[in-house]
Amino acid sequence: MTDATVATAPPAKAATPTRSALADIWRQFRAHRGGVVGLIVFTFIVLAVFVGPYIHRVAPNAINIRDKNQWPSLAHPFGTDNLGKDMLAQVLAGGRISLAVGITAMLLALFLGTLVGVVSGYIRRLDGPLMRITDLFLALPLLPLLLVILMLFRDTLRAAFGPETGIFILIVFVIGITSWMHTARIVRGDVLAVKSQEFILAAKSSGMREYRIILKHILPNVLSSIMVSATLGIASAIITESALSFLGLGFPSDFPTWGRLLFDGANFLQLTPSRVLWPGLAISATVLSVNYMGDAIRDALDPRALKH
Amino acid sequence: MKNLKLLLAGTVAALAFAGSAAYAAPGTDGDLKILFWQAVSTMNPYLSGGTKEVYASSMVIEPLARYDEKGGLVPTLVTEIPTVENGGVAKDLMSMTWKIKPGVKWSDGTPFTADDVIFTWKYCIAPDGGCAQAAQYEGVKSVEAPDPQTVKITFTEPKPYPYSAFVGAQSPVIQKKQFENCVGAKAPGCTSANFGPIGTGPFVVKEFKPNDVITLTANTNYRDTAKPAFASVTLKGGGDAASAARAVLETGEYDYAWNMQVEPEILAKMVAAGKGKLVTSFGTQVERINLNHYNADPSLGAKRSTKDAGPHPSLSDPAVRRALSLAIDRDIIVEAGYGAAGKATCNIVPAPAAVASTKNDSWCLKQDLVAANKLLDDAGWKKGPDGIRAKNGVKLSYLYATSTNSVRQATQELVKDMWSQIGVGAELRNASASVFFGGDPASPDTFQKFYADVEMYTNNFDGTDPEKYLAEWLCDKVPSPANGWQGQNIPRYCNPAYDKLVGELSKTAELDKRAALAKQLNDMLTEEGAHIPLVHRGSVSSHSLKLAGVKMNAWDSELWNVADWSRAK
């Protein structure tokens, strides 16, 4: 019962200026040390990846066979690969792709998952069918599905958007539509819990339209779980893309992504360990920092925590 | 005390005796573990031209004669190699006679007869059979059996080099009884026969999991009762070249791994672990880039890369084909990916020395970007704002396919970089080796279908005579849906003059003239740009130091003498 009274707190707060709510959240976020470290690391990676190429001005795919298999040096801070390509430039270029794939695929999955979750949680008639569709997607074997999709649409998309954009769209789409189910499940559960509470009943009896109830009352209350699945989604999208590249299904082989760099470098682990170290570290650091940020955001958005 | 000594001595003597007896008996050396990183999809080489299938099946089914590690012919199921001198080959070169060894039995215990040999020929030439080794039986008019131990092959025209049908791992003899109902269109449907052929070889298939593991046991009816030394063979497929090399050279989990297409610096590091060694043999393998002579535009759907699609919009221009070859620095490709296991080449027939041409080495072996650029300028291909040349809206930008392998991907990148310097763009694509070489007619990514503008892989020929190999570029060997994509003329090259010259080669008897013709044909293919030969590759395999008897053979199946392999003592 205490839960219910606590949960009614945010709508009451919503009346106060949004600025202070945001400040509250920020204050809570800062209290989570892991989250702050995660934010710093993630910001650093994003900055490095997007600004870095302007500082380290070496083309990622410039081949220089005479400089192959070099250990880190001033000219090549991360060393070179077996064709003499600069690893730092490749890790930076790869990061742009991997992050773009991760974030876009996550947004797509998040949109689909939230939509399905909220609709099936709020509208009882659609709950059964939507959840069965979710089951269906959960039951689909991911890899054969990816193979079929890539085979069917690769040439069409390649013709329409060119090889790189075409594959980007395909990969984002494929990852997006195969990873929304967990978000949908979690959101549905939360919506069901929130829906039965008194403030929703109050909103309904005051004549508020259904879609406004969803937008104004339901969504803010399930936001914390959405944010958590969002952060987890980035991580899993980056890892799925790595797996696809690893299988040779992703981008063309001369198109660096973190997964591809890791795959290519694996054979050279004993010879030039930095080829595996840096992309691996970049993937781990991104995934970890994003997860910690997710943790902190969840804590910050938790109405019970806001009470203090 | 004395008694005890005597007893001990007796035991030792008995043990020693038992030991020496066991040494001569077959099946005492346990399990032989072989790793093929391209998994084997069938044990019937007549249904798949893939090297892996041919090699794997060579442990089970055998030809009448095969090539040894030096490229010489050795009799397998026959008493001797027929020649004109011993009367085995007719003076007019129109027929030859093989004498089958007496007492050879199939693994099911039934006798091996000339009937089986005749059946094998009929099986491969049956219409709608899609026989992948049809080139081996080119020019064979009839195969007859004057008696059960004699096979007489009659040719349509004089055959100066008659050792093609039933010679080498690509044309082994299959059992008539087993395959009788599998002729023609029914061939691919006979799964149990194709997966477990009854043979005369040292091993018998016990269990076959397509594209995975094959378990074989020693053939109890093998003609040499003292062989094979191993009781069983486990042939594991799949993975990649580097992990296969590691499993043999570094961890010692496997005894033998085939086709070490791994960067030389990595192999050197692995060999240093001291568990195994590399064996290399230069045969006739050439890594080449095939240039598609037909249009491969995806918008053409199922028609692409067939005659109906029409000629390729840019690769049909001889200047483009020549320029693509001129732009490549083969030495760099060898250095980056092959090391001691490769040599730059401009020939599709790189060996033996008697038939290896040097005519095109002067212009082709050296990278010449200036000449390549000039050639394209003169042909009217102008550089656009993106640096890619184009003419009449056709861009010199190619889809470049190959199998997934780090050396091939590195080569792709190097070639892309070299081509970019003459204003030619490339989009790289790679498919898993099991798919690329799998020959599945339903997959769009096989090398036979060639749904790309250029594609790169290695091929070779068995034995020392290139006639049947050069016959692969005949107009009627172009793969198409009509022949189940089984033709061997992958670049879809078609030149009536070439066809005529191949016909001439098959009629020529004198060795010198044959060599001259073979060189001429080889030069024609290089000059006209049917393909771009890149690297003459040595076959590199690795075997454990605990395995004895391996004789690396580049002229036939690498497993040609698997019956003689044993555990190193």
Side-chain angles (χ1 to χ4, degrees):
Chain A
M1 227 34 234
T2 45
D3 277 6
T5 46
V6 169
T8 49
K13 284 229 169 191
T16 62
T18 39
R19 199 190 222 181
S20 78
L22 272 180
D24 266 355
I25 292 169
W26 176 235
R27 191 169 49 79
Q28 290 292 331
F29 186 91
R30 268 184 318 181
H32 193 291
R33 192 180 298 161
V36 176
V37 174
L39 184 68
I40 293 170
V41 171
F42 188 69
T43 319
F44 173 75
I45 290 174
V46 172
L47 269 180
V49 154
F50 286 95
V51 181
Y54 295 100
I55 300 163
H56 184 72
R57 305 175 77 96
V58 177
N61 47 11
I63 293 176
N64 183 0
I65 198 84
R66 303 284 155 229
D67 279 352
K68 66 175 180 177
N69 295 327
Q70 293 213 342
W71 280 61
S73 64
L74 265 184
H76 305 289
F78 284 8
T80 60
D81 70 3
N82 61 317
L83 297 179
K85 292 185 290 186
D86 183 72
M87 280 310 293
L88 175 58
Q90 290 206 74
V91 169
L92 295 179
R96 277 202 299 281
I97 314 289
S98 288
L99 283 180
V101 167
I103 291 170
T104 331
M106 174 273 289
L107 287 177
L108 181 64
L110 204 63
F111 174 75
L112 279 174
T114 312
L115 186 73
V116 171
V118 168
V119 168
S120 81
Y122 195 78
I123 306 172
R124 184 168 290 180
R125 262 180 308 126
L126 293 178
D127 190 18
L130 280 177
M131 279 301 114
R132 293 301 79 75
I133 290 176
T134 313
D135 287 342
L136 181 82
F137 270 86
L138 276 171
L140 279 179
L142 188 62
L143 214 55
L145 182 75
L146 290 174
L147 281 170
V148 171
I149 293 180
L150 279 169
M151 211 155 93
L152 286 179
F153 300 108
R154 188 177 58 190
D155 286 335
T156 334
L157 281 168
R158 181 174 153 254
F161 300 100
E164 278 138 31
T165 325
I167 290 282
F168 181 84
I169 294 174
L170 197 61
I171 286 183
V172 162
F173 175 76
V174 160
I175 296 177
I177 63 153
T178 51
S179 53
W180 55 268
M181 293 82 72
H182 295 283
T183 315
R185 279 277 168 83
I186 295 166
V187 169
R188 170 182 172 270
D190 279 8
V191 170
L192 282 177
V194 173
K195 196 174 82 166
S196 58
Q197 287 176 7
E198 286 89 349
F199 69 94
I200 300 290
L201 197 64
K204 272 188 184 163
S205 45
S206 72
M208 208 175 187
R209 294 249 178 95
E210 301 276 330
Y211 76 91
R212 279 181 57 83
I213 294 178
I214 290 176
L215 287 181
K216 289 277 166 191
H217 294 300
I218 307 263
L219 268 184
N221 277 294
V222 299
L223 198 60
S224 62
S225 41
I226 294 178
M227 289 306 282
V228 174
S229 17
T231 53
L232 291 175
I234 295 186
S236 71
I238 289 177
I239 288 170
T240 312
E241 190 281 320
S242 306
L244 279 179
S245 294
F246 205 85
L247 291 168
L249 293 172
F251 291 97
S253 57
D254 59 334
F255 204 69
T257 69
W258 283 341
R260 159 74 56 186
L261 292 174
L262 202 57
F263 171 58
D264 289 345
N267 284 343
F268 290 84
L269 190 61
Q270 294 163 306
L271 212 61
T272 44
S274 63
R275 278 188 70 174
V276 184
L277 183 72
W278 292 110
L281 204 63
I283 295 179
S284 323
T286 310
V287 170
L288 261 180
S289 65
V290 164
N291 277 351
Y292 271 109
M293 277 159 57
D295 253 9
I297 292 173
R298 188 197 56 205
D299 287 359
L301 289 178
D302 189 346
R304 266 163 291 185
L306 274 179
K307 181 176 65 168
H308 303 298
Chain B
M1 198 59 207
K2 204 178 172 189
N3 276 349
L4 187 65
K5 258 190 186 162
L6 206 67
L7 195 69
L8 277 174
T11 318
V12 169
L15 277 175
F17 181 72
S20 67
Y23 194 70
T28 50
D29 281 358
D31 191 36
L32 170 66
K33 291 163 96 75
I34 302 178
L35 200 53
F36 273 27
W37 56 271
Q38 288 172 22
V40 178
S41 61
T42 174
M43 287 296 268
N44 184 349
Y46 290 109
L47 296 182
S48 164
T51 312
K52 57 204 162 82
E53 278 84 16
V54 172
Y55 284 8
S57 64
S58 74
M59 290 190 283
V60 178
I61 43 181
E62 297 176 304
L64 296 181
R66 56 161 64 113
Y67 295 93
D68 64 15
E69 77 275 19
K70 294 189 187 78
L73 279 169
V74 284
T76 317
L77 299 171
V78 290
T79 51
E80 61 176 354
I81 303 293
T83 58
V84 180
E85 288 76 46
N86 67 22
V89 177
K91 285 231 159 53
D92 60 358
L93 306 176
M94 290 293 284
S95 69
M96 73 191 300
T97 312
W98 296 92
K99 284 277 180 200
I100 294 171
K101 265 185 200 165
V104 175
K105 280 189 181 141
W106 291 103
S107 57
D108 64 354
T110 57
F112 174 90
T113 68
D115 258 0
D116 296 304
V117 183
I118 298 174
F119 171 77
T120 302
W121 168 65
K122 286 188 178 152
Y123 176 85
C124 190
I125 60 156
D128 308 323
C131 180
Q133 310 295 352
Q136 310 286 331
Y137 298 97
E138 195 105 332
V140 174
K141 190 174 157 204
S142 69
V143 183
E144 291 152 8
D147 65 72
Q149 294 301 112
T150 311
V151 177
K152 185 173 182 229
I153 304 176
T154 315
F155 302 111
T156 49
E157 48 205 22
K159 269 254 180 188
Y161 190 88
Y163 313 110
S164 152
F166 316 117
V167 175
Q170 287 178 325
S171 65
V173 182
I174 53 176
Q175 194 194 31
K176 180 178 180 186
K177 198 175 99 191
Q178 192 186 21
F179 283 91
E180 213 159 15
N181 297 318
C182 302
V183 182
K186 281 182 285 182
C190 287
T191 322
S192 68
N194 294 334
F195 287 177
I198 292 169
T200 55
F203 293 97
V204 189
V205 179
K206 188 176 159 208
E207 192 186 7
F208 185 93
K209 293 183 189 154
N211 292 320
D212 188 11
V213 185
I214 308 167
T215 334
L216 304 108
T217 51
N219 176 4
T220 47
N221 287 308
Y222 189 56
R223 56 186 178 278
D224 188 339
T225 48
K227 290 172 185 173
F230 286 99
S232 60
V233 176
T234 310
L235 197 160
K236 170 87 182 132
D240 59 274
S243 42
R246 187 160 281 132
V248 172
L249 298 173
E250 223 170 58
T251 65
E253 288 164 276
Y254 279 82
D255 295 310
Y256 187 88
W258 148 88
N259 195 358
M260 302 288 85
Q261 198 175 11
V262 183
E263 284 82 355
E265 58 263 46
I266 299 179
L267 281 180
K269 191 105 187 163
M270 289 178 184
V271 172
K275 288 239 164 95
K277 64 178 202 174
L278 295 172
V279 277
T280 312
S281 168
F282 276 92
T284 55
Q285 285 192 330
V286 173
E287 179 90 1
R288 83 284 302 271
I289 298 178
N290 278 335
L291 306 174
N292 200 338
H293 285 55
Y294 288 147
N295 197 345
D297 188 339
S299 65
L300 294 164
K303 276 204 292 187
R304 65 187 132 160
S305 297
T306 66
K307 204 171 184 187
D308 298 339
H312 195 282
S314 60
L315 286 173
S316 52
D317 181 345
V320 173
R321 300 203 296 265
R322 172 71 64 108
L324 290 180
S325 174
L326 276 172
I328 294 175
D329 188 339
R330 291 168 171 79
D331 293 328
I332 283 192
I333 292 173
V334 169
E335 188 196 320
Y338 297 89
K343 301 172 194 159
T345 188
C346 283
N347 297 317
I348 207 73
V349 179
V355 292
S357 166
T358 52
K359 190 185 168 202
N360 290 311
D361 291 358
S362 52
W363 67 269
C364 161
L365 274 183
K366 276 265 163 287
Q367 185 189 34
D368 192 343
L369 293 172
V370 179
N373 271 316
K374 185 171 182 305
L375 209 57
L376 292 175
D377 284 338
D378 293 349
W381 298 94
K382 296 271 175 302
K383 268 191 191 166
D386 53 354
I388 305 288
R389 288 176 190 270
K391 183 163 86 174
N392 306 330
V394 177
K395 273 188 154 194
L396 293 187
S397 179
Y398 301 120
L399 179 58
Y400 181 179
T402 189
S403 68
T404 306
N405 173 293
S406 58
V407 173
R408 290 217 162 100
Q409 267 73 75
T411 308
Q412 273 187 315
E413 278 189 61
L414 287 169
V415 170
K416 180 179 178 174
D417 185 56
M418 293 163 189
W419 282 352
S420 74
Q421 295 172 42
I422 59 164
V424 174
E427 179 199 335
L428 309 185
R429 179 177 290 176
N430 54 293
S432 155
S434 322
V435 174
F436 193 68
F437 298 112
D440 177 6
S443 166
D445 290 328
T446 63
F447 79 105
Q448 289 104 332
K449 276 202 177 167
F450 202 171
Y451 282 177
D453 301 303
V454 299
E455 68 177 0
M456 180 172 72
Y457 62 88
T458 286
N459 203 357
N460 67 318
F461 60 96
D462 276 357
T464 52
D465 188 85
E467 180 189 329
K468 60 195 175 195
Y469 184 53
L470 287 165
E472 289 181 4
W473 282 269
L474 293 178
C475 293
D476 60 358
K477 296 257 172 61
V478 172
S480 69
N483 58 23
W485 303 97
Q486 285 291 1
Q488 284 145 324
N489 186 353
I490 308 296
R492 284 104 168 114
Y493 170 82
C494 183
N495 181 351
Y498 182 88
D499 283 21
K500 212 171 134 228
L501 213 54
V502 171
E504 205 176 307
L505 175 64
S506 65
K507 288 194 197 84
T508 309
E510 299 93 293
L511 283 175
D512 293 351
K513 274 194 189 163
R514 285 179 67 76
L517 275 172
K519 283 184 189 176
Q520 204 180 334
L521 285 165
N522 166 71
D523 295 342
M524 212 163 167
L525 291 173
T526 303
E527 281 158 18
E528 298 200 349
H531 42 233
I532 305 174
L534 294 176
V535 180
H536 178 197
R537 286 179 56 192
S539 313
V540 186
S541 291
S542 56
H543 71 82
S544 154
L545 294 177
K546 285 191 230 146
L547 184 64
V550 176
K551 280 188 188 156
M552 187 62 181
N553 189 336
W555 306 102
D556 204 317
S557 163
E558 282 178 19
L559 307 177
W560 68 291
N561 69 338
V562 69
D564 302 333
W565 291 8
S566 62
R567 193 56 71 199
K569 294 282 183 299

